[in-house]
Amino acid sequence: MRYNASVKTQESDILLEWYDVHARDMPWRVPPAARKAGTKPDPYRVWLSEVMLQQTTIATVRDYFERFTTRWPDVNALAAAADADVMGEWAGLGYYARARNLLKCARVVTDTHGGTFPADHATLLSLPGIGPYTAAAISSIAFDLPHAVLDGNVERVMARLYDIHTPLPKAKPELMAKAERLTPATRPGDYAQAVMDLGATICTPKSPACGICPLRDPCQARQRGTAPELPKKLPKKAKPVRHGRVYLGRRGDGAWLLETRPEKGLLGGMLGWPGSDWVDTALPVPESAPPCDADWQVLPGEVRHTFTHFHLILEVMTAEIPPDATPARGHFADPAGFRPSTLPTVMRKAFDLAR
Ligand code: SF4
């Protein structure tokens, strides 16, 4: 970590002063005044929020975070939770490997570290689901260690502050070097959150509010008029389209036929409808045997959903399943206990179409 050991940079001073007044209010954050008064952040809440915020907006994460911390207030409680309960609460947040790793990590922290998150970057990096970004964020925000945190907001601020035109992702090492150089030895946790807040509220992607930005004097992109075009990015490849089919069957007693998806793979460990593989071909939909004999009918319409690397179009089949049917796959969910909110979004879309 090559942080500026000459105590503070001018930019970090400016940003910390700005943050003292403008810090965003978040349920996992200790505000700067409370932090100065001695309140320490709870590493469990910092870790949980950082995992949830990967690829997900703050607005979406707030409710999930409140539900998780109400149900599992500390890492030991989460470690003791049933897998299905955690996956069900995570449903809708996407990137489900995060939830599986969340549980694994909670159990390692409980079993190996006595229920206390390790306060050093290298040990944090060894935990399931914690990569360089999350380790830096926890080190900095929870333990006030001088690690630079380079998320999309910080990348944008660094690219503009130094007028860097190398496209992402090639520019990452250069942006990280700049971020590390600016990270101060004092209040590094507040500073990390200050840069993220600046990127989220002032130095926004399309219309940076340079007129009210605390960094407007040193900012090179503002001086040269290049801010709106930075950071540069390599053109994205068009996403392929995949097709598949799901079977939504229900018995006369109201029990839906569901299955828990395999641990490995997309939506791993989540609840879903039995169905075909999803393949990169145009119509027709890939053949797949129904999960049991019934009068399956194709529903009008289709489910469309976009994952990180592809678009998915699902054909939906429905049937009333005979009471004596023995499905070849899946299980019948207790009609009283089934909550559609425990389905991942694509599966909930299929449910909404059938309903
Ligand atoms: S002056 Fe403008 S471009 Fe520069 S950091 Fe501030 S908001 Fe971003």
Side-chain angles (χ1 to χ4, degrees):
M1 172 71 209
R2 298 180 296 281
Y3 69 91
N4 189 334
S6 64
V7 187
K8 290 174 183 173
T9 62
Q10 189 189 1
E11 287 85 353
S12 69
D13 279 349
I14 295 169
L15 267 181
L16 282 167
E17 275 174 27
W18 174 82
Y19 181 73
D20 285 344
V21 179
H22 298 283
R24 288 179 293 171
D25 183 28
M26 298 185 199
W28 48 85
R29 176 179 277 179
V30 174
R35 196 155 171 150
K36 280 184 190 169
T39 305
K40 293 198 182 311
D42 178 351
Y44 169 68
R45 293 168 72 86
V46 174
W47 162 73
L48 183 62
S49 65
E50 286 298 333
V51 174
M52 287 183 165
L53 286 165
Q54 292 162 13
Q55 316 280 348
T56 312
T57 63
I58 287 174
T60 304
V61 163
R62 278 180 191 273
D63 284 352
Y64 282 88
F65 182 84
E66 296 288 7
R67 280 207 305 276
F68 263 71
T69 49
T70 300
R71 192 162 177 186
W72 302 296
D74 57 40
V75 70
N76 296 324
L78 183 62
D83 291 31
D85 288 345
V86 173
M87 300 309 281
E89 286 292 3
W90 194 275
L93 256 188
Y95 299 92
Y96 296 98
R98 292 183 297 169
R100 295 194 297 279
N101 281 327
L102 193 80
L103 260 177
K104 282 186 198 154
C105 183
R107 288 167 184 163
V108 172
V109 170
T110 297
D111 297 343
T112 311
H113 298 281
T116 303
F117 273 87
D120 75 283
H121 185 261
T123 313
L124 284 167
L125 256 182
S126 71
L127 296 173
I130 297 191
Y133 168 81
T134 309
I138 299 170
S139 301
S140 146
I141 298 170
F143 299 117
D144 225 12
L145 297 170
H147 286 271
V149 180
L150 193 71
D151 69 355
N153 286 317
V154 182
E155 284 175 352
R156 189 167 56 256
V157 173
M158 292 301 126
R160 289 170 173 174
L161 196 53
Y162 296 101
D163 199 34
I164 293 170
H165 288 243
T166 311
L168 284 165
K170 202 175 158 203
K172 277 181 188 281
E174 192 179 356
L175 298 174
M176 177 54 106
K178 298 292 188 195
E180 286 178 339
R181 200 184 66 76
L182 286 190
T183 298
T186 52
R187 299 182 66 195
D190 277 349
Y191 170 78
Q193 295 172 98
V195 194
M196 290 192 265
D197 279 15
L198 186 83
T201 61
I202 303 277
C203 194
T204 52
K206 291 206 174 100
S207 326
C210 302
I212 56 167
C213 176
L215 295 180
R216 60 188 174 277
D217 287 343
C219 180
Q220 295 179 20
R222 185 197 63 78
Q223 291 160 17
R224 294 170 191 163
T226 54
E229 66 194 70
L230 296 177
K232 302 252 188 223
K233 293 183 182 165
L234 290 174
K236 284 187 182 161
K237 285 186 191 153
K239 291 183 185 183
V241 179
R242 294 188 188 170
H243 294 260
R245 171 185 291 159
V246 284
Y247 294 92
L248 275 71
R250 196 179 197 190
R251 264 191 335 220
D253 64 356
W256 289 96
L257 180 60
L258 289 153
E259 68 178 6
T260 303
R261 293 176 64 83
E263 275 289 309
K264 290 212 181 314
L266 211 58
L267 311 182
M270 297 298 293
L271 212 52
W273 308 108
S276 70
D277 291 338
W278 303 339
V279 293
D280 277 340
T281 56
L283 292 173
V285 169
E287 280 304 314
S288 68
C292 65
D293 288 338
D295 182 19
W296 294 99
Q297 300 291 327
V298 181
L299 268 190
E302 61 194 11
V303 168
R304 288 177 175 259
H305 189 73
T306 296
F307 291 95
T308 313
H309 299 297
F310 64 94
H311 301 290
L312 177 66
I313 298 175
L314 284 180
E315 181 182 68
V316 179
M317 311 280 291
T318 58
E320 177 160 337
I321 297 178
D324 56 348
T326 311
R329 55 193 279 196
H331 60 272
F332 287 102
D334 169 14
F338 172 61
R339 285 186 297 137
S341 64
T342 59
L343 295 170
T345 304
V346 64
M347 297 295 172
R348 202 159 66 234
K349 285 181 181 176
F351 178 77
D352 290 343
L353 185 69
R355 195 165 48 170

